């Protein structure tokens, strides 16, 4: 699920729907947004679709660049690169959309944390089987991305997911496999303190060939650990997420359920979960922070 919370309103978008349609133009909390998902790269990014006084409507261009979705706006027919939010062809070339934090988490985590949150309906008007992924088997770590012709950085398997952040010049990425040994990442990227929460029990949206079973891949969410003028350091305590400073326990949606900080929420940080081959294609000089980085 791709989740949004804006101005107190929450909504989640099933990957099962985005896998087929790739773009949803919507409004959440009074903000016009476009929810984008590239199934080939496993990149879900949400943008504020306003630039100046214009609200843009987006659709899929049916084109790819480095295997990543190229979207287009219906107002000018300019082409936008999904992974960066920048116009690459057309009269708006050089313009860039503002990215909105949108963690990809399980339906159960979203429902538990935001019982009044909205869910994008499967009643889309299209005769699609949303229980069947159109790219079955594409999630296999041993596979090669079949529509990617560039050179693949060998530091990770091409299809491994990474948590990527691009606000520093070269980018920083954390492989999902990192969380097997470092269950919570407390770190700083550029001038931004971050904490990455991880849960191991989220299913992939890609079914195996001839199967309804999806691989369990886990999910992540990234937040600013600074709250009430103090920087919190997080750890796992009895399978719960707690901070060392106050002992408050939180859920994947950053709200403290008990303790001194009960009810307080961390600010979400923009990031994206994507396949390594796509991230490294757009950010070839990206720093890869593995378990060795945190254990050295």
């Amino acid at each position: 699920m791709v989740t949004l919370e804006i101005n107190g309103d929450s909504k989640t978008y099933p990957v099962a729907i985005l896998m087929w349609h790739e773009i949803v133009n919507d409004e959440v909390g009074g903000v016009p947004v476009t929810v984008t998902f590239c199934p080939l790269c496993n990149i879900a990014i949400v943008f504020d679709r306003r630039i100046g006084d214009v609200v843009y409507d987006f659709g899929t261009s049916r084109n790819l660049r480095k295997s990543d979705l190229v979207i287009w706006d219906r107002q000018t027919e300019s082409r936008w690169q999904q992974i960066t939010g920048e116009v690459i062809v057309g009269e708006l070339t050089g313009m860039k959309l503002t990215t909105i934090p949108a963690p990809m988490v399980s339906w159960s985590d979203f429902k538990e944390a935001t019982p009044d949150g909205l869910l994008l309906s499967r009643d889309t008007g299209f005769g699609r089987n949303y229980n069947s992924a159109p790219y079955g088997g594409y999630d296999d770590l041993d596979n090669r991305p079949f529509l990617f012709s560039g050179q693949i950085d060998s530091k990770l398997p091409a299809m491994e997911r990474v948590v990527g952040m691009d606000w520093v010049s070269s980018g920083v990425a954390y492989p999902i496999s990192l969380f097997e040994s470092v269950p919570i990442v407390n770190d700083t990227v550029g001038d931004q303190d971050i904490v990455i929460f991880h849960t191991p029990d989220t299913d992939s949206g890609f079914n195996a060939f001839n199967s309804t079973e999806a691989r369990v891949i886990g999910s992540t969410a990234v937040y600013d650990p600074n709250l009430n003028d103090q920087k919190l350091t997080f750890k796992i305590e009895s399978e719960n997420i707690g901070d060392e400073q106050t002992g408050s326990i939180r859920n994947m949606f950053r709200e403290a359920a008990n303790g001194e900080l009960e009810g307080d929420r961390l600010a979400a940080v923009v990031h994206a979960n994507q396949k390594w081959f796509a991230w490294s294609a757009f950010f070839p000089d990206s720093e890869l922070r593995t378990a060795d980085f945190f254990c050295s």
Side-chain angles (χ1 to χ4, degrees), residues 103-105 163 176 179 196-198 218-222 252 271 273:
M104 290 181 70
V105 300
V163 182
I176 289 294
F179 298 98
I196 307 177
F197 294 167
H198 174 262
S219 59
T220 59
V222 183
M252 279 289 288
H271 70 287
N273 291 279

Side-chain angles (χ1 to χ4, degrees), residues 51 78-81 84-97:
I51 295 182
S78 296
R79 266 47 178 177
W80 307 67
Q81 188 73 60
T84 62
E86 293 180 289
V87 179
I88 54 175
V89 176
E91 67 179 76
L92 298 180
T93 297
M95 302 290 280
K96 186 172 183 177
L97 295 168

Side-chain angles (χ1 to χ4, degrees), residues 101 103 163 165 167 194-197 220-224 267-271:
V163 182
M165 300 166 201
W167 61 78
I194 64 165
V195 58
I196 307 177
F197 294 167
T220 59
V222 183
Y223 302 113
D224 185 335
V269 172
V270 170
H271 70 287

Side-chain angles (χ1 to χ4, degrees), residues 210-263:
N210 300 317
S211 173
T212 59
E213 297 296 324
R215 187 166 69 90
V216 178
I217 49 92
S219 59
T220 59
V222 183
Y223 302 113
D224 185 335
N226 294 285
L227 186 65
N228 299 337
D229 297 322
Q230 68 175 328
K231 179 180 177 180
L232 303 174
T233 304
F234 291 89
K235 61 182 179 179
I236 296 291
E237 293 184 339
S238 302
E239 299 184 355
N240 293 312
I241 300 170
D243 68 78
E244 295 179 353
Q245 286 72 23
T246 73
S248 302
I249 301 299
R250 292 177 191 269
N251 55 35
M252 279 289 288
F253 277 84
R254 71 197 188 260
E255 182 171 345
N258 60 26
E260 179 182 328
L261 300 177
E262 181 176 356

